[in-house]
């Protein structure tokens, strides 16, 4: 019963934060006029997702999510930045991040990272149109799983819901997801 509710709870209770973040990012994408502007967006993602992933790695590995290694995003952001001759920034610090001190909170944060692959499909098209990155250089992060995106999302959701066996656990995951969205919005506005 509760298991089926986790995904609904996550979606509905993080909707407002998702919409605010989406609005901010779309604005940035609309204002983007040069490769330098795109690099800046990649640097924002690298610093926040990179630091977040380091936290998540302490609680989630192949035991908790069998294909976790294939899901890591920081390396692809770094490769995109380097492919476009940009500078790889420092990662964000603990003060800029949500508190991740157990596996449930790690899954809440990972929900936000994995979910970003869904928007990534729209975002990568916007970017490649605007900047004419025809050969796809510098787009691997936003393209993420490409045509496998829905399948990867569906299999992530199955594992995610297996980790919430009580309402309390579902609340902890949802709270961490919301904090991850909120702190990212603050980071993006910095
Ligand atoms: C231009 C920016 C963005 C657009 C256009 C966008 C768009 C979307 C779309 C179309 C979906 C699928 C909705 C559905 O099929 O039900 C989605 C889901 C999601 N997005 Fe975004 N997104 C954006 C940015 C982001 C970012 C930056 C993050 C995270 C940092 C994010 C996290 C999520 C999550 C977690 C979901 C899953 C919701 C659920 O079904 O539980 N999105 N987004």
């Amino acid at each position: 019963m509760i298991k089926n509710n986790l995904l609904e709870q996550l979606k509905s209770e993080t909707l407002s934060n998702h919409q605010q973040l989406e609005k901010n990012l779309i604005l940035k994408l609309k204002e983007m006029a040069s490769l330098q502007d795109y690099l800046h967006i990649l640097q924002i993602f690298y610093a926040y997702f990179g630091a977040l992933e380091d936290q998540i790695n302490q609680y989630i590995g192949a035991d908790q999510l069998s294909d976790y290694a294939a899901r890591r995003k920081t390396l692809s952001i770094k490769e995109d930045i380097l492919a476009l001759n940009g500078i790889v920034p420092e990662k964000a610090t603990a003060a800029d991040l949500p508190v991740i001190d157990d596996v449930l909170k790690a899954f809440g944060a990972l929900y936000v990272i994995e979910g970003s692959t869904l928007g990534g499909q729209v975002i990568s098209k916007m970017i490649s149109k605007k900047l004419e990155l025809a050969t796809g250089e510098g787009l691997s992060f936003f393209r993420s799983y490409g045509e496998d995106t829905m399948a990867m999302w569906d299999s992530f959701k199955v594992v995610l819901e297996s980790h919430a066996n009580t309402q309390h656990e579902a609340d902890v995951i949802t709270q961490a997801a919301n904090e991850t969205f909120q702190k990212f919005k603050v980071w993006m506005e910095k």
Side-chain angles (χ1 to χ4, degrees):
M1 201 49 196
I2 285 164
K3 286 192 175 186
N4 291 334
N5 284 339
L6 171 70
L7 298 172
E8 281 169 35
Q9 182 180 345
L10 268 171
K11 190 168 183 162
S12 63
E13 291 183 13
T14 64
L15 182 66
S16 155
N17 279 321
H18 178 274
Q19 284 173 341
Q20 289 175 47
L21 190 64
E22 181 180 328
K23 206 173 129 202
N24 278 13
L25 190 57
I26 288 182
L27 204 70
K28 276 195 190 304
L29 291 165
K30 285 199 172 140
E31 286 168 356
M32 185 175 67
S34 66
L35 203 59
Q36 214 49 46
D37 293 343
Y38 175 46
L39 270 168
H40 188 230
I41 293 173
L42 283 174
Q43 286 160 340
I44 290 171
F45 272 87
Y46 175 84
Y48 190 77
F49 276 22
L52 200 57
E53 222 172 60
D54 289 342
Q55 298 290 315
I56 294 169
N57 291 348
Q58 296 181 33
Y59 302 98
I60 298 177
D63 285 350
Q64 289 75 26
L65 180 61
S66 59
D67 61 354
Y68 182 54
R71 293 180 181 271
R72 296 190 184 173
K73 311 284 180 301
T74 313
L75 193 63
S76 69
I77 309 176
K78 189 178 184 173
E79 284 167 0
D80 287 344
I81 293 173
L82 293 174
L84 302 173
N85 298 316
I87 291 165
V88 180
E90 296 285 321
K91 290 177 185 170
T93 60
D96 299 310
L97 297 178
V99 175
I100 309 288
D101 56 10
D102 63 28
V103 66
L104 293 175
K105 289 176 199 156
F107 266 108
L110 191 57
Y111 162 79
V112 177
I113 294 187
E114 284 301 316
S116 73
T117 64
L118 304 172
Q121 304 313 299
V122 185
I123 296 169
S124 60
K125 288 196 185 94
M126 283 176 80
I127 296 166
S128 60
K129 253 191 207 156
K130 249 192 149 160
L131 297 181
E132 292 171 6
L133 298 170
T135 58
E137 75 273 17
L139 279 173
S140 70
F141 165 65
F142 282 116
R143 281 191 177 161
S144 61
Y145 312 128
E147 56 190 29
D148 295 333
T149 299
M150 277 326 286
M152 290 293 280
W153 177 242
D154 287 343
S155 65
F156 174 71
K157 286 195 293 190
V158 172
V159 176
L160 178 64
E161 64 185 353
S162 77
H163 283 267
N165 295 302
T166 64
Q167 185 57 51
H168 174 70
E169 287 174 347
D171 290 344
V172 173
I173 294 173
T174 306
Q175 163 72 30
N178 267 322
E179 207 185 327
T180 305
F181 269 123
Q182 284 156 2
K183 294 255 179 167
F184 192 33
K185 181 168 172 269
V186 173
W187 178 255
M188 208 176 269
E189 284 166 354
K190 252 187 169 181

